[in-house]
Amino acid sequence: MAWFKKVRKPIEPQAKKESRVPEGLWVKCPSCNEAIYNKDLVATLNVCPKCAHHFRLGSAERLRMLFDGDWEEYDAGLRSVDPLQFVDTKPYAKRLETTIESTGMQDAVLCATGRIDGIETSVAAMEYAFIGGSMGVVVGEKITRAIERAIERQLPVVIVASSGGARMMEGALSLMQMAKISAALARLDRARLPYISVLTDPTTGGVTASFAMLGDLNIAEPKALIGFAGPRVIEQTIRQKLPEGFQRSEFLLERGMLDLVVDRRELKAAIARALRFGLPQDGPARSPRPAVTAAEPAPQP
Ligand SMILES: [Zn+2]
């Protein structure tokens, strides 16, 4: 039996003051607290003009940033079929449906060919807004096709990763995409075509554990979270405090996990330079790998 009864009503929360500024016109930078006019942010490629904080960039904006002009999109209609009839907090089929509606995309990657500083390139850009940029069967198939298209047409490949990892709702099928994409990249390597991996915030899980770290050049954006398991999980497992800046681009560059950390505003120029360097030039370099001649002595074990 309750001895005391609460007679008074609980304090009501204050009514929200109505803002006179329309929603979405200003963005507050989480790093320096500067209020930035949304249109200015578009002009600076979603980078804070004051402190260079890199906001996330959607896949379409990413292609707009990389390509000189128009691009041709491929496999835009591929769609997951929910093979496991998976249900978590809501059915996967339902989740797909609402995400497709809100993003206007069928899955979490956009694949296209176009010119980067005049160099025809096959690009796959991941979309974080689509179920955390998770890699399911469709993402795997689309990226694999983008690589195969590059081999067929002798083009270099650029993949922009932005992903929480494999898509849990597709179970083991999503994990298989790691091997599938990696195998396609091995074929690209045999065709002597360059692959540049661009790691953006965040690149984690199965994506880091496969294609995002397999680039001939692995380029990251500043302060991007890049890792396999999240820092909280690691801390709980090893029961140690993690060092400052752990799993961020600069930390990984210092330890040799990355080749470059490049500001987004200079990224296109850096990629173009690397592609020029990596692509076979017209001339003797164009010839296939030299075969080992019979006269050459066999290597001794
Ligand atoms: Zn800022």
Side-chain angles (χ1 to χ4, degrees):
M1 195 188 99
W3 284 20
F4 301 105
K5 247 186 195 164
K6 204 173 194 174
V7 245
R8 276 179 301 171
K9 269 193 200 160
I11 302 162
E12 274 185 31
Q14 271 188 337
K16 258 196 190 165
K17 266 190 200 152
E18 248 185 65
S19 167
R20 279 183 292 137
V21 182
E23 194 91 19
L25 205 55
W26 293 84
V27 186
K28 197 171 176 185
C29 173
S31 177
C32 70
N33 283 329
E34 177 91 342
I36 314 161
Y37 188 42
N38 222 339
K39 279 193 181 148
D40 291 344
L41 205 56
V42 173
T44 56
L45 303 170
N46 272 22
V47 177
C48 173
K50 200 177 164 206
C51 73
H53 170 79
H54 283 51
F55 289 88
R56 278 185 194 138
L57 199 63
S59 51
E61 285 80 47
R62 180 66 65 177
L63 293 190
R64 204 165 296 130
M65 176 207 126
L66 286 177
F67 287 139
D68 301 342
D70 277 350
W71 61 80
E72 195 175 339
E73 197 190 337
Y74 296 91
D75 310 313
L78 285 193
R79 203 170 164 165
S80 176
V81 291
D82 187 14
L84 303 178
Q85 311 277 303
F86 195 85
V87 179
D88 48 79
T89 49
K90 58 177 163 179
Y92 176 44
K94 190 93 200 148
R95 194 184 290 277
L96 270 176
E97 206 175 281
T98 50
T99 313
I100 287 168
E101 208 167 284
S102 67
T103 59
M105 290 175 71
Q106 300 289 318
D107 217 294
V109 72
L110 217 159
C111 297
T113 59
R115 288 183 181 277
I116 299 177
D117 201 16
I119 308 163
E120 180 91 10
T121 310
S122 178
V123 178
M126 299 188 80
E127 175 61 63
Y128 192 76
F130 198 104
I131 319 186
S134 51
M135 170 175 58
V137 172
V138 173
V139 169
E141 178 64 20
K142 281 177 82 166
I143 294 180
T144 304
R145 286 189 193 182
I147 298 164
E148 285 169 347
R149 197 172 299 122
I151 297 170
E152 204 175 288
R153 290 159 53 175
Q154 295 283 296
L155 306 176
V157 173
V158 173
I159 303 177
V160 185
S162 172
S163 171
R167 188 171 294 169
M168 292 300 116
M169 301 84 163
E170 292 182 13
L173 292 169
S174 72
L175 299 178
M176 289 172 194
Q177 308 312 312
M178 296 167 68
K180 178 165 150 180
I181 298 171
S182 302
L185 284 172
R187 293 198 292 279
L188 184 81
D189 185 55
R190 257 174 262 139
R192 313 198 79 186
L193 292 161
Y195 159 45
I196 294 175
S197 171
V198 179
L199 298 94
T200 72
D201 185 67
T203 298
T204 55
V207 170
T208 312
S210 61
F211 63 88
M213 283 292 183
L214 290 176
D216 293 311
L217 213 56
N218 297 326
I219 306 177
E221 286 191 341
K223 297 201 179 94
L225 175 75
I226 300 162
F228 183 65
R232 200 155 29 97
V233 178
I234 297 174
E235 223 161 38
Q236 282 165 3
T237 311
I238 64 171
R239 289 162 196 274
Q240 272 180 35
K241 194 101 190 83
L242 294 168
E244 177 82 20
F246 181 71
Q247 287 186 327
R248 295 284 164 182
S249 311
E250 294 74 12
F251 186 94
L252 295 169
L253 177 73
E254 216 170 90
R255 281 152 185 83
M257 294 284 284
L258 295 171
D259 298 305
L260 282 170
V261 176
V262 180
D263 189 292
R264 189 179 291 156
R265 292 163 289 187
E266 285 141 32
L267 190 59
K268 181 178 171 177
I271 291 174
R273 218 164 29 240
L275 289 180
R276 287 235 153 71
F277 183 75
L279 270 179
Q281 308 296 313
D282 291 315
R286 189 106 211 170
S287 60
R289 272 181 213 277
V292 181
T293 51
E296 215 168 302
Q300 294 300 315

